[in-house]
Amino acid sequence: MHEIIDSHAILWNLDFMELLVPTLPETTQSNDTAASRFVDDYLLYQLASASHRLSSEFHAYVKSRGVKIYVWRVLACLVDQPGLMLTRLSALVLIEQSRLTKITDQMVGEGLVSKRADPTDRRKTMLYVTEKGAQTARPLIAQAKEHEEKSLRVLTAQERKSLKRVLKKLG
Amino acid sequence: MHEIIDSHAILWNLDFMELLVPTLPETTQSNDTAASRFVDDYLLYQLASASHRLSSEFHAYVKSRGVKIYVWRVLACLVDQPGLMLTRLSALVLIEQSRLTKITDQMVGEGLVSKRADPTDRRKTMLYVTEKGAQTARPLIAQAKEHEEKSLRVLTAQERKSLKRVLKKLG
DNA sequence: TTTAAAAATATTCTAAATCATGTAATCTTG
DNA sequence: CAAGATTACATGATTTAGAATATTTTTAAA
């Protein structure tokens, strides 16, 4: 539902370890028969659910490396866009501007990124991944690709192509 | 990225009003040329991004009706499953158990749902949407369907079918 | 059946996300 | 070029989410 929950919240995850969400035993009461819950065929729920499940998987890995999810997200988004200004990174990384300001400040303190005022417009903050940030990101990106590969195995080649094309249209 | 952000985060939204995320002006610096950001082709990012964008749209509507996002999510998930126990609702609605306990307590206070101990297992809490809850949910579900319909217009009939099938496989 | 283990939910504490607003720099336009 | 509007970012207060743990009830095993 989220993203529905996507909550925004929710970026990426990995199942090199077993699933986090154990299958629950059958419930005592209520219509398991009623095969038609509203949400089951609701696009926004399906998106949120898939996003949530897959991201949770990978997040377990990110956390196991001692990296905060939002740090991973920022690095993954920024690594290919040196000098990106804060507001644009905010839209890309799906994190609110005011929140991203705090996150990047913290990351500057940790030596993962650096900030520089844009000389042509001093309102703008240009962001750069530092060498340390790049070193942090590298193995995570490698694992992300591996996890993605695994996740896509349940789909046919056709389905994979179609999915990505469609998601680009929607996103 | 979220879901990457999926944020979690994020359930469902509606664009009966104009998009919330205004298109930003072109950035001064940096490689708009480099058409290959890692995240652009990363499944978990694409899922998070689509989920985030679409949900944000609909959330604007939910909020305009004075309904909290998590309340919407709970009602939407519970309305077809009377008597569902807390933990199972938690998995369905993509909200953590401890959080859901608080949310549902609050919703009981607002008369939107009711709780009843399962007579066969007093550990379990069975949840029910009240009439007031159903009345709250009804117009939101209608709008959700409308919004979904709108969202899917950018896709071909083929793509829609494929998308939902694939999302069910992934979610 | 007692005892240990597991399951379901509640509680507490902390972290993270959001909102509203503030400030400074730039842009617009008369 | 000066006044107001806009843009970019920062700050502070509040809400929401999450992790860890406690409590109660069932289940399983000895």
Side-chain angles (χ1 to χ4, degrees), chain A residues 1-14 21 24-32 34 36-56 58-59 69 72-77 79-85 87-88 91-95 118 120 124 126 141 144-145 147-148 151-152 154-156 159 162-171, chain B residues 1-14 21 24-32 34 36-56 58-59 69 72-77 79-85 87-88 91-95 118 120 124 126 141 144-145 147-148 151-152 154-156 159 162-171:
Chain A
M1 203 143 201
H2 318 64
E3 186 16 48
I4 284 189
I5 285 177
D6 141 341
S7 265
H8 307 252
I10 309 161
L11 192 49
W12 315 314
N13 22 51
L14 177 95
V21 183
L24 291 165
E26 287 309 309
T27 156
T28 349
Q29 62 277 345
S30 122
N31 45 359
D32 288 345
S36 64
R37 294 177 300 190
F38 157 64
V39 295
D40 286 342
D41 197 52
Y42 179 40
L43 176 65
L44 269 57
Y45 176 76
Q46 294 177 317
L47 279 171
S49 176
S51 185
H52 184 267
R53 192 183 75 71
L54 293 177
S55 288
S56 297
F58 185 63
H59 288 174
I69 302 310
W72 154 239
R73 288 175 179 183
V74 168
L75 290 176
C77 283
V79 76
D80 296 319
Q81 305 253 92
L84 197 64
M85 61 183 270
T87 305
R88 307 197 116 234
L92 180 64
V93 79
L94 311 178
I95 295 175
D118 184 329
T120 75
K124 299 183 182 174
M126 304 193 302
I141 290 176
K145 286 177 177 168
H147 172 251
E148 175 180 18
S151 304
L152 286 171
V154 300
L155 305 182
T156 68
E159 286 174 331
S162 162
L163 176 61
K164 291 210 165 184
R165 181 167 36 77
V166 164
L167 287 178
K168 277 179 188 166
K169 277 198 197 181
L170 293 178
Chain B
M1 203 139 201
H2 316 67
E3 193 49 23
I4 281 187
I5 287 179
D6 149 358
S7 214
H8 4 102
I10 305 160
L11 191 48
W12 314 316
N13 21 53
L14 176 98
V21 182
L24 291 165
E26 287 310 310
T27 155
T28 350
Q29 61 277 346
S30 123
N31 45 358
D32 288 344
S36 64
R37 293 177 299 190
F38 157 64
V39 294
D40 287 341
D41 196 52
Y42 180 40
L43 176 65
L44 268 57
Y45 176 77
Q46 294 178 316
L47 279 171
S49 176
S51 184
H52 184 267
R53 193 183 75 71
L54 293 177
S55 289
S56 297
F58 185 62
H59 288 173
I69 301 312
W72 154 239
R73 290 177 179 181
V74 168
L75 290 176
C77 283
V79 76
D80 296 320
Q81 305 253 93
L84 197 63
M85 61 181 272
T87 305
R88 306 195 118 236
L92 181 63
V93 79
L94 309 179
I95 294 176
D118 184 329
T120 75
K124 298 183 182 175
M126 305 193 300
I141 290 176
K145 287 177 176 166
H147 173 250
E148 175 178 16
S151 303
L152 287 170
V154 299
L155 305 182
T156 69
E159 287 174 331
S162 161
L163 176 61
K164 289 211 167 183
R165 182 168 37 77
V166 164
L167 287 178
K168 277 178 188 167
K169 278 200 199 180
L170 292 178

